[in-house]
Amino acid sequence: MPSIFAYQSSEVDWCESNFQHSELVAEFYNTFSNVSFFIFGPLIMFLMHPYAQKRSRAIYGISALFMVIGLFSMYFHMTLSFLGQLLDEISILWLLASGYSVWLPRCYFPKFIQGSRYYFSCLVITTTMISTFLTFVKPTVNAYALNSIAIHILYIVHKEYKKTRNGDLRHLIEVSVILWATALTSWISDRVLCSFWQRIHFSYLHSIWHVLISITFPYGMATMALMDANYEMPGQTLKVHYWPRDSWFIGLPYVEIQDNDKSC
């Protein structure tokens, strides 16, 4: 039985040809496309610093987890090892759990939680710990299970989209969904249509997934921050900005908290 550290010990192998550009890197483009995680992660920490100081410093941990995902994904695609696969998938699982704990509106909590974010966080952590052990049971289905969580996230986002008249929030939701759908299409195409992409010598869709999903993350974070503000920060207004300039057609979103001077 091969070691879990061994190259190609994972049952998962993506469409890109192995060891084509280096004897040490199994999937060259799938490995180095994760650089975007190390660019956007620190940038998000910097841009969201004022928000984190006023709302929750947990955003630093979430951004750090985002970079950990990039690191473990890089390790997995470099080695295609079983350990790399599990580290990659488990880090994604914990990132999603962290986002749920910090930003899920209380109105979507299970009724027996009675609106307590502390108890909800305990429930999420317990469920995530159990799910972490389950990742060892059938590793080949882990990625599909993780993507299925998006169904619940889309349900929440759809409900909030219908509720709000906030133009910034609606725009963020629209762009986030488009980016995620495009990224998921790349991910599925790489898995399902690999023979076609190999025939036309374009087997790099999984690396495109990495770049697109890393861009989706800042949009998703800003979206959740605005949704959270509607429930948890009624006396304050969040303003959406885009780096490097608001006037640019494309930019990374971030939010600033503005005190509401109006009194009831």
Side-chain angles (χ1 to χ4, degrees):
M1 181 177 179
S3 167
I4 62 172
F5 297 93
Y7 272 62
Q8 297 182 291
S9 55
S10 170
E11 296 181 45
V12 177
D13 192 358
W14 297 93
C15 194
E16 184 183 351
S17 300
N18 297 337
F19 303 105
Q20 190 172 32
H21 300 279
S22 170
E23 294 181 357
L24 297 177
V25 180
E27 296 174 341
F28 184 85
Y29 291 101
N30 287 351
T31 297
F32 291 103
S33 57
N34 288 288
V35 169
S36 57
F37 287 79
F38 302 108
I39 296 173
F40 296 141
L43 190 55
I44 292 168
M45 285 186 179
F46 172 74
L47 294 174
M48 297 287 282
H49 175 72
Y51 168 84
Q53 294 299 305
K54 291 186 177 182
R55 177 64 182 101
S56 174
R57 297 187 181 184
I59 195 169
Y60 298 132
I62 293 174
S63 299
L65 270 174
F66 176 69
M67 290 184 282
V68 168
I69 290 172
L71 177 65
F72 287 155
S73 179
M74 184 174 282
Y75 170 63
F76 168 53
H77 290 289
M78 182 178 72
T79 63
L80 293 179
S81 65
F82 181 63
L83 177 64
Q85 177 196 338
L86 290 180
L87 290 174
D88 182 22
E89 293 164 348
I90 290 171
S91 60
I92 295 172
L93 176 64
W94 280 93
L95 175 70
L96 292 172
S98 299
Y100 267 83
S101 297
V102 174
W103 285 308
L104 184 71
R106 296 173 193 267
C107 60
Y108 299 108
F109 288 5
K111 290 184 178 179
F112 65 88
I113 295 297
Q114 299 181 338
S116 170
R117 188 165 296 277
Y118 171 76
Y119 289 119
F120 176 71
S121 297
C122 290
L123 176 64
V124 170
I125 291 172
T126 302
T127 304
T128 306
M129 290 177 66
I130 295 171
S131 301
T132 299
F133 288 107
L134 291 177
T135 59
F136 293 85
V137 176
K138 191 68 175 176
T140 53
V141 305
N142 290 344
Y144 298 95
L146 286 170
N147 275 304
S148 68
I149 297 175
I151 297 173
H152 183 252
I153 297 174
L154 286 174
Y155 167 76
I156 300 298
V157 167
H158 174 68
K159 295 273 286 186
E160 292 300 313
Y161 187 83
K162 291 174 64 177
K163 288 181 185 179
T164 188
R165 292 294 178 267
N166 185 318
D168 285 337
L169 178 56
R170 293 177 73 90
H171 175 73
L172 284 172
I173 290 174
E174 290 165 357
V175 175
S176 298
V177 171
I178 291 171
L179 284 170
W180 172 81
T182 306
L184 185 62
T185 300
S186 298
W187 189 90
I188 293 174
S189 296
D190 189 87
R191 297 298 293 169
V192 177
L193 303 175
C194 180
S195 57
F196 167 75
W197 296 116
Q198 287 181 335
R199 280 200 302 271
I200 65 173
H201 306 290
F202 189 79
S203 53
Y204 311 115
L205 285 176
H206 193 75
S207 60
I208 294 174
W209 148 267
H210 288 157
V211 175
L212 288 175
I213 209 66
S214 66
I215 298 173
T216 304
F217 177 72
Y219 276 89
M221 181 177 284
T223 298
M224 297 306 295
L226 283 188
M227 285 171 47
D228 173 74
N230 290 335
Y231 296 95
E232 305 290 342
M233 306 168 69
Q236 294 175 306
T237 301
L238 268 66
K239 178 64 178 176
V240 180
H241 295 284
Y242 292 85
W243 183 89
R245 291 180 181 272
D246 290 342
S247 58
W248 286 23
F249 181 72
I250 298 175
L252 287 185
Y254 64 99
V255 296
E256 289 184 351
I257 298 176
Q258 299 177 334
D259 292 327
N260 194 339
D261 295 331
K262 294 181 179 180
S263 58
C264 297

